[in-house]
């Protein structure tokens, strides 16, 4: 067989072995030198999708480099790629392919928000804080500060910051305002919105309550049912006429304005035997348990009457 004289053999490069993408301006950065974006509004969850991402990187490497910006101390701040970085850390890799960009603070916010909004599933809380960060960055860059002063549904002239932001993120202006109100919620109530237990419209009304009232409201919803919007309307109407509200008064207002499907709730109240056994000795008779319960109820009523007076 004739020999092929002078034929060159192509050797596999280290980058190819490590599955480093061949992208212009792409470098390998030490994972330990990358910090998360300050106040990053998007959650990095160790869920099933993350497990799939980890498996994909183990098989194929990081196909899309992350984007970082250099910091003065020689480290880097993550702009886009927090989930990829988490997966790389899970695998135990020490370096990750990255594109280094010199963004100022506001440019970094805009790029970070826009890159993460491309995801298919975004929680309401993530949208709320991301939209707020983007709006603040736009305002600092010279956009008009008129977002929080206008009412939902009012027709605005062209060029307003909220119109521009709404168009950018693909929301109506009214919906944008609703999401921006969510940043005023306490964390437990915002979590109810993320879980789709509390309707967005109701959450917007709750956002106008101060944190102390929101906490009482959250405790009420944990012990009863998730409130409806008209219950929150009633609560806000009360607070327009009163500077403060007690927990008992809050309960009264919410109960009086609850859906009217409990008209017979005082006719019969059942407490299971198993529940009673948690509190009473096994030798207590029925009459003895009733006596203790009514004694405690009398004390409870007395305390609440004094608190409301």
């Amino acid at each position: 067989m004739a020999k092929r004289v002078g034929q060159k053999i192509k050797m596999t490069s280290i980058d190819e072995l490590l599955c480093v993408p061949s992208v212009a301006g792409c470098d390998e950065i030490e994972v330990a030198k990358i910090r998360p974006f300050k106040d990053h509004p998007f959650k990095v969850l160790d869920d099933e999708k993350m497990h799939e991402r980890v498996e994909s990187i183990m098989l194929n490497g990081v196909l899309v480099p992350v984007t970082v910006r250099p910091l003065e101390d020689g480290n880097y701040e993550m702009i886009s790629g927090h989930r990829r970085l988490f997966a790389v850390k899970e695998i135990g890799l020490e370096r990750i392919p990255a594109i280094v960009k010199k963004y100022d603070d506001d440019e970094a916010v805009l790029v970070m928000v826009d890159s993460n909004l491309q995801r298919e599933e975004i929680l309401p809380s993530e949208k709320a804080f991301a939209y707020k960060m983007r709006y603040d960055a736009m305002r600092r860059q010279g956009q008009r500060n008129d977002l929080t002063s206008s009412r939902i549904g009012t027709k605005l002239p062209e060029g307003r910051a909220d119109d521009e932001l709404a168009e950018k993120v693909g929301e109506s202006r009214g919906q944008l305002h609703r999401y921006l109100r969510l940043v005023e919620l306490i964390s437990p109530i915002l979590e109810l919105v993320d879980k789709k237990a509390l309707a967005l419209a109701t959450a917007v009304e709750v956002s106008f309550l101060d944190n102390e009232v929101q906490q009482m409201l959250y405790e009420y919803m944990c012990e009863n049912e998730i409130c409806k919007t008209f219950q929150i309307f009633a609560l806000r109407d009360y607070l327009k006429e009163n500077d403060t509200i007690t927990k008992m008064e809050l309960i009264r207002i919410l109960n009086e304005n609850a859906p009217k499907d409990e008209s017979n709730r005082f006719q019969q109240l059942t407490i299971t035997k198993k529940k009673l056994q948690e509190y009473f000795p096994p030798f207590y008779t029925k009459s003895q348990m009733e006596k203790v319960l009514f004694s405690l109820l009398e004390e409870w009523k007395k305390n609440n009457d004094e608190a409301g007076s």
Side-chain angles (χ1 to χ4, degrees), residues 259-274:
K260 304 301 180 182
D261 59 354
E262 295 187 275
S263 58
N264 64 340
R265 60 193 174 101
F266 289 118
Q267 293 182 13
Q268 182 177 358
L269 177 64
T270 302
I271 303 177
T272 64
K273 179 180 178 181
K274 181 179 179 181

Side-chain angles (χ1 to χ4, degrees), residues 72-242:
E72 293 181 356
D73 60 4
N75 293 312
Y76 301 87
E77 183 178 43
M78 180 65 75
I79 303 297
S80 174
H82 289 77
R83 289 167 180 76
R84 278 163 279 167
L85 181 63
F86 182 91
V88 164
K89 288 181 177 180
E90 286 290 294
I91 297 170
L93 300 179
E94 296 182 355
R95 305 177 76 86
I96 188 171
I99 297 175
V100 181
K101 294 284 189 179
K102 293 183 178 181
Y103 295 123
D104 63 28
D105 290 348
D106 292 331
E107 290 172 339
V109 167
L110 298 180
V111 175
M112 180 275 296
V113 171
D114 290 349
S115 62
N116 279 279
L117 288 178
Q118 305 304 316
R119 290 161 38 206
E120 293 181 3
E121 297 180 9
I122 305 176
L123 296 173
S125 63
E126 294 176 322
K127 282 189 176 183
F129 285 99
Y131 291 171
K132 181 66 166 61
M133 289 179 72
R134 199 183 201 291
Y135 171 73
D136 288 343
M138 290 171 61
R139 182 181 60 187
R140 287 190 295 267
Q141 288 188 333
Q143 300 293 334
R144 288 179 55 187
N145 181 15
D146 51 17
L147 180 58
T148 55
S149 61
S150 60
R151 291 187 60 83
I152 297 173
T154 306
K155 183 175 177 60
L156 296 175
E158 293 183 1
R160 292 278 295 263
D162 45 2
D163 282 335
E164 294 177 13
L165 180 55
E167 181 179 0
K168 179 68 178 179
V169 299
E171 304 278 7
S172 68
R173 191 174 63 84
Q175 191 72 342
L176 173 66
H177 276 267
R178 295 182 188 99
Y179 278 118
L180 287 173
R181 285 302 314 173
L182 298 187
V183 303
E184 304 298 332
L185 294 174
I186 62 174
S187 297
I189 292 183
L190 187 54
E191 188 174 344
L192 293 177
V193 181
D194 282 343
K195 293 179 178 178
K196 300 182 180 180
L198 183 66
L200 179 61
T202 307
V204 170
E205 296 303 321
V206 173
S207 72
F208 290 98
L209 304 173
D210 65 39
N211 287 358
E212 184 179 354
V213 178
Q214 286 190 38
Q215 183 61 40
M216 290 192 290
L217 175 64
Y218 173 72
E219 293 170 2
Y220 174 89
M221 291 192 290
C222 288
E223 297 169 359
N224 299 274
E225 292 184 350
I226 299 297
C227 290
K228 305 298 183 183
T229 304
F230 49 82
Q231 289 175 283
I232 309 303
F233 282 157
L235 189 57
R236 290 187 62 192
D237 287 342
Y238 175 90
L239 289 169
K240 288 177 183 177
E241 305 295 331
N242 300 271

Side-chain angles (χ1 to χ4, degrees), residues 270-286:
T270 302
I271 303 177
T272 64
K273 179 180 178 181
K274 181 179 179 181
K275 195 67 178 176
L276 289 172
Q277 287 174 339
E278 294 180 12
Y279 302 98
F280 291 101
F283 54 82
Y284 260 47
T285 65
K286 178 181 177 181

